[in-house]
Amino acid sequence: MKVQITLTRSLIGRKPNQVKTAHALGLHKINQVVVHEKNDAINGMINTISHLVLIEEV
């Protein structure tokens, strides 16, 4: 199963671990969309920045 992740909030002023997590997912700009295979590692990254992203299952 795949999950579509959209960055909806700015990374400016966020904690460094949240910024690095977003960049590791491939999110750099607001409204940027990436698709990843759903697994434990991706779920943990989504939980770290859940307040900054919109998640949809594909």
Side-chain angles (χ1 to χ4, degrees):
M1 178 180 296
K2 294 192 180 240
V3 63
Q4 178 176 311
I5 308 164
T6 306
L7 185 63
T8 58
R9 306 278 311 263
S10 175
L11 297 174
I12 296 172
R14 302 296 174 183
K15 294 179 180 179
N17 70 319
Q18 293 174 355
V19 175
K20 289 178 184 177
T21 301
H23 289 178
L25 285 169
L27 298 168
H28 297 278
K29 297 182 178 182
I30 294 177
N31 292 327
Q32 187 173 5
V33 178
V34 294
V35 177
H36 286 287
E37 194 66 36
K38 193 171 184 179
N39 59 37
D40 291 339
I42 296 298
N43 287 341
M45 295 169 92
I46 290 171
N47 287 338
T48 301
I49 60 169
S50 61
H51 57 290
L52 304 175
V53 296
L54 175 67
I55 297 98
E56 301 172 357
E57 292 187 359
V58 178

